[in-house]
Amino acid sequence: MQLVTEDNITELAKARWATAHDARTRELLTGLIQHLHDFARETRLTEAEWMAAIQWLKATGQISDEKREEFILASDVLGLSMLVVQLNHRFDRGATPATVLGPFHIDGSPELEYAADMSEELPGVPLFVSGTVRSLDGTPVSGAILDVWQADEDGAYEAQLPVEEARLRAKYTTREDGTYCIRTIAPKGYSIPMDGPVGQLIRQTEISHFRPAHVHFLLNVPGFRPLITHLFEEGAEYLDSDVVFGTKQELVVGYEHHEPGPTPDGATSLVPWVSATYDFVLQPVG
Ligand code: BEZ
Ligand code: FE
């Protein structure tokens, strides 16, 4: 009989899980065991601490549902989501960088025309975002779909509200010359959800629980690497302390401020409005 000791348990556990049929599963599980065991040894993990961690994981699962993704949030605030993004999206210089997906993307957003309003007159300063989607070599990409979503003026996403209709999310398609135009409202910085296990941990620290103002974009265009990213407002609060480590200088855009008057959709705004321009540069596959 093989005796289990403090010294051999890691190798025994790795050997057992090295029987995984798939090579990658084998690599991931044996690596995980090594790091978990090292962590327990290095920190001299106590039983009470490990039980507290298990209870926290249980609560994280229990608060999650189709609309609430507390595990994604946990991964985000620990910096793991952004690390995985960086490891998997090493685009060429000049391509638009990727950032975190976050927990609030919803599939199947309505398709809107060039410059159509995805804010449906929710309160806020009208914002037009326009530009071109192009390849790294400068070729405009026509027919590219921009899946766009954002929070409202109170920092709430549709997924956090009891609403039936799509709210502040839409899909826009680039025109023949690669151009797009989105009409929405200027987003504001907001707090991540603090009423669950992630919030409970953050409250035990000095961490700022806010994200700087941003709009989310997902571009999944055939022939190009998928791009999940945000645009941030230049000068926005929390740019330097984003709780999910998602900011990048290349994704910060200046807003132009306009008096009431004609807007890019051919209408006239009765209130002051803002605009931003940004060209999304996609990395070709291969
Ligand atoms: C978001 O930007 O929607 C988000 C990202 C990570 C955590 C929470 C929210
Ligand atoms: Fe967001």
Side-chain angles (χ1 to χ4, degrees):
M1 194 178 86
Q2 171 84 66
L3 284 183
V4 178
T5 68
E6 185 182 322
D7 289 334
N8 72 8
I9 188 161
T10 303
E11 287 315 314
L12 287 177
K14 278 167 61 182
R16 195 171 284 181
W17 285 93
T19 61
H21 303 152
D22 169 65
R24 181 65 175 151
T25 307
R26 195 152 62 233
E27 184 181 2
L28 291 173
L29 286 175
T30 54
L32 180 65
I33 289 166
Q34 184 72 54
H35 286 283
L36 285 175
H37 287 213
D38 285 349
F39 170 75
R41 286 194 176 91
E42 280 166 23
T43 60
R44 311 289 315 158
L45 189 65
T46 68
E47 286 168 301
E49 287 162 348
W50 184 226
M51 188 46 71
I54 286 175
Q55 294 305 324
W56 184 87
L57 288 166
K58 180 170 150 192
T60 301
Q62 283 173 334
I63 204 170
S64 300
D65 58 26
E66 278 97 77
K67 290 193 152 188
R68 178 143 187 179
E69 295 278 8
E70 194 78 357
F71 275 114
I72 296 185
L73 191 61
S75 163
D76 292 341
V77 301
L78 292 173
L80 186 57
S81 303
M82 199 55 194
L83 173 60
V84 175
V85 167
Q86 318 253 24
L87 290 172
N88 287 280
H89 300 273
R90 291 185 177 137
F91 297 155
D92 289 7
R93 189 193 294 270
T96 299
T99 186
V100 286
L101 172 67
F104 299 127
H105 176 257
I106 299 178
D107 286 332
S109 286
E111 292 172 18
L112 295 189
E113 296 294 316
Y114 184 89
D117 187 2
M118 73 170 206
S119 71
E120 301 215 325
E121 291 169 16
L122 284 167
V125 177
L127 165 66
F128 288 84
V129 184
S130 58
T132 302
V133 176
R134 57 187 168 83
S135 177
L136 256 182
D137 68 4
T139 316
V141 182
S142 64
I145 295 171
L146 297 102
D147 189 347
V148 188
W149 72 105
Q150 69 169 83
D152 67 15
E153 279 239 306
D154 298 325
Y157 281 85
E158 180 192 322
Q160 298 172 288
L161 300 169
V163 292
E164 299 293 324
E165 297 287 296
R167 190 171 187 273
L168 280 171
R169 61 185 172 96
K171 285 181 180 171
Y172 293 86
T173 305
T174 55
R175 302 192 293 192
E176 203 56 38
D177 61 355
T179 54
Y180 71 89
C181 182
I182 291 155
R183 186 195 157 137
T184 182
I185 49 172
K188 295 201 169 152
Y190 62 83
S191 168
I192 58 164
M194 289 293 286
D195 59 344
V198 170
Q200 177 216 329
L201 269 193
I202 288 187
R203 280 188 217 289
Q204 297 175 46
T205 72
E206 295 298 314
I207 295 171
S208 155
H209 50 91
F210 290 90
R211 297 216 63 205
H214 61 271
V215 180
H216 294 258
F217 294 85
L218 188 159
L219 288 88
N220 204 347
V221 183
F224 296 94
R225 303 270 301 274
L227 174 67
I228 294 172
T229 196
H230 309 348
L231 293 182
F232 297 93
E233 179 190 354
E234 190 174 61
E237 212 177 343
Y238 316 118
L239 273 176
D240 288 332
S241 61
D242 183 7
V243 62
V244 303
F245 307 94
T247 51
K248 292 195 170 187
Q249 188 54 48
E250 301 95 311
L251 301 175
V252 176
V253 292
Y255 282 7
E256 234 183 280
H257 293 257
H258 307 269
E259 292 305 319
T263 48
D265 54 353
T268 299
S269 178
L270 301 176
V271 295
W273 54 283
V274 292
S275 64
T277 55
Y278 187 81
D279 287 351
F280 290 92
V281 182
L282 301 181
Q283 172 92 31
V285 174

